[in-house]
Amino acid sequence: MKLSRPVSWFLLAFGVWSWVIWVTFVKNLVKDSSGLAFENGHPTAYFFVHLTLAVVSFVWGTVIGGIGLRGLRALSRTSRTS
């Protein structure tokens, strides 16, 4: 399948955005002082659920961004050979 340049850039941007958002979220989750993420110094179910969401989002962001990057590289190779 051949991706257009705008679609490839969108996918790459989505991957980067996903990492930026979720890294920030995990940092805030670890520093949580509201009692939701930690109770008496021990992680709660809230912490594990949201950490799982973050890890899944890291994986999907990496995969989607990788597809966008591969699309841009393929377009670059095509334009050089033409």
Side-chain angles (χ1 to χ4, degrees):
M1 177 189 348
K2 195 172 183 182
L3 298 175
S4 68
R5 189 171 310 279
V7 169
S8 296
W9 275 111
F10 174 79
L11 293 175
L12 181 58
F14 176 86
V16 170
W17 175 83
S18 182
W19 269 87
V20 168
I21 293 300
W22 285 99
V23 164
T24 303
F25 181 82
V26 169
K27 285 180 182 178
N28 291 334
L29 183 65
V30 169
K31 291 188 284 185
D32 178 60
S33 61
S34 70
L36 287 173
F38 296 96
E39 189 173 298
N40 299 325
H42 299 293
T44 62
Y46 177 91
F47 175 83
F48 288 114
V49 166
H50 287 84
L51 184 62
T52 301
L53 287 171
V55 169
V56 169
S57 294
F58 289 144
V59 170
W60 277 111
T62 301
V63 169
I64 291 169
I67 292 169
L69 184 61
R70 288 181 65 178
L72 288 172
R73 286 182 177 167
L75 287 167
S76 175
R77 282 192 301 271
T78 305
S79 67
R80 276 190 263 159
T81 58
S82 298

